[in-house]
Amino acid sequence: MDNLPLGTPECNRQGIDRVITFVTDRGYLVQSLIAASQLAAQPDVVAIADIIIYLIDIPDDEQAAIRTALGASRFNFRFLDSRSFIPDSADRLPSLHVPRSTLGRLVLDAHIPAQYDTILYMDGDIQITGSVAPLVAHDCPPGKVLAGCDRLNNGGKYANPSSYLSRLGIMHPTDYVNAGIMLASRAAWREYTGEALRFLTNHPECCKHHDQSALNAAIGEHRIRFGPEYNYTTWFQAADGQHLVRPRIVHFTGPAKPWNSLKGPWGTRYRKVYADFLTAHPYFTRYLTLTDSRDIDPKYADPSPVMRARRALKSVKAAIDSRWHSVLLRRFLHRAPFKRLD
């Protein structure tokens, strides 16, 4: 893995009051291990923060097998049973097919040791590509949540239309945050995740993106945006053809990921670390398989002339969107309506 040391330091270290958390089930187990190791490889990060991975619904025998397969590489795992923290989720959320692991971060506060008063949550489908110490060290004001924009407009693929945003109390797409990287004080985290769970329960029809929708509704105007370098989503990757942003955290949002696509928006650059990990630890191929299944959107996989024409039109539209998104990105970076962390 290009000499990436696998593992993280012990947690609950004396004097450490910040914690970086991952929450996943089997789906993003491998990805979370790699992202956590990339964080731990930065001395200025581990000097001020512990790293904990919360694994959802992993039976005892499988927990032991995971630890054995990792050998000398140690991680701070905390194993949670979703039936204990959301025992009636299926009844309360009848119109949403929400994986229980997805809701794990909304109840995370009860499982984080009391010594931590600043929480940095990270999704597993990320990689650390630059220094993140300024983010980890940032003191978020009381009652605020630090997060990044999901995208800069309502158009294009996987758009968030105005009708969706307005139901969450959001009037502009740049006010809609991507919940994959979020920093807050312990008190603010407890308040807004609790409110988000209640919103998801009471208004599931508004939650197109499940807990991310609910978190946006809960946080509202209490958000503080950081720059796209700390949550470089697929939208920014596609828009940033001129490499205006030097990403520190890349976030593989959308269905095309480095492990399931060779021709997608991320290309092959970020794939090798997963391949190296699986070669070194073949046990984990049961959790992650490298494929090219997302090179063509399944909707357009039919080789008929009609579908080929539709794919061609789709490519033209994507090129037009990309040009416009590049304009939006340049304007956004020039106006800088976000918190600079260093």
Side-chain angles (χ1 to χ4, degrees), residues 27-340:
Y28 281 168
L29 170 58
V30 170
Q31 296 89 328
S32 297
L33 295 176
I34 290 171
S37 298
Q38 291 172 333
L39 286 167
Q42 297 192 11
D44 47 358
V45 169
V46 296
I48 60 173
D50 288 339
I51 304 169
I52 302 178
I53 301 175
Y54 291 86
L55 295 180
I56 311 298
D57 293 339
I58 306 293
D60 291 349
D61 57 344
E62 194 174 343
Q63 296 174 23
I66 288 170
R67 293 188 186 278
T68 299
L70 288 169
S73 301
R74 68 168 313 282
F75 291 87
N76 302 308
F77 292 128
R78 298 293 182 270
F79 296 95
L80 303 179
D81 185 337
S82 67
R83 292 171 299 180
S84 68
F85 62 72
I86 315 178
D88 58 345
S89 61
D91 295 331
R92 291 189 290 113
L93 302 174
S95 60
L96 280 179
H97 301 288
V98 184
R100 294 188 174 192
S101 62
T102 300
L103 301 178
R105 63 177 158 184
L106 299 185
V107 297
L108 192 58
D109 174 68
H111 302 279
I112 294 177
Q115 78 179 70
Y116 303 114
D117 57 26
T118 296
I119 297 172
L120 175 56
Y121 169 83
M122 293 188 170
D123 274 354
D125 56 342
I126 63 170
Q127 286 191 33
I128 311 301
T129 58
S131 172
V132 297
L135 172 61
V136 178
H138 186 73
D139 292 318
C140 201
K144 300 292 185 180
V145 175
L146 190 66
C149 296
D150 186 64
R151 54 192 299 129
L152 299 183
N153 74 334
N154 286 334
K157 196 172 185 181
Y158 311 117
N160 292 321
S162 298
S163 58
Y164 161 67
L165 297 178
S166 63
R167 290 197 295 270
L168 305 178
I170 295 172
M171 297 299 108
H172 193 278
T174 57
D175 289 332
Y176 180 84
V177 300
N178 181 280
I181 309 290
M182 303 176 66
L183 177 78
S185 70
R186 181 70 173 263
W189 182 268
R190 180 184 303 117
E191 176 182 355
Y192 295 128
T193 54
E195 188 175 334
L197 186 56
R198 289 189 292 273
F199 185 89
L200 184 62
T201 302
N202 296 328
H203 306 285
E205 72 284 354
C206 297
C207 297
K208 171 184 175 184
H209 297 299
H210 303 159
D211 56 338
Q212 177 163 285
S213 304
L215 283 163
N216 270 275
I219 295 167
E221 296 181 354
H222 301 289
R223 72 182 75 81
I224 299 176
R225 291 177 298 205
F226 50 57
E229 67 270 24
Y230 288 104
N231 193 349
Y232 195 73
T233 65
T234 300
W235 191 97
F236 288 102
Q237 162 72 6
D240 194 17
Q242 297 181 347
H243 306 292
L244 301 175
V245 180
R246 297 182 65 180
R248 303 179 186 217
I249 303 174
V250 293
H251 188 183
F252 311 122
T253 54
K257 317 279 191 181
W259 52 88
N260 64 20
S261 175
L262 295 170
K263 300 176 182 177
W266 298 100
T268 60
R269 174 183 175 185
Y270 299 100
R271 188 178 176 104
K272 185 175 185 300
V273 68
Y274 303 114
D276 290 349
F277 176 89
L278 294 175
T279 298
H281 301 86
Y283 169 85
F284 290 93
T285 55
R286 68 194 62 201
Y287 304 114
L288 178 65
T289 301
L290 302 184
T291 72
D292 59 359
S293 61
R294 276 288 176 176
D295 278 351
I296 297 178
D297 189 318
K299 292 186 296 185
Y300 300 96
D302 188 330
S304 68
V306 172
M307 280 300 173
R308 286 201 302 269
R310 290 184 64 182
R311 283 202 302 271
L313 288 173
K314 177 173 169 286
S315 297
V316 170
K317 184 179 184 303
I320 295 171
D321 286 341
S322 180
R323 287 177 177 270
W324 173 236
H325 295 170
S326 296
V327 172
L328 293 175
L329 178 59
R330 286 196 300 272
R331 292 177 180 173
F332 184 73
L333 295 174
H334 176 70
R335 296 169 182 167
F338 49 80
K339 178 74 174 179
R340 295 190 183 277

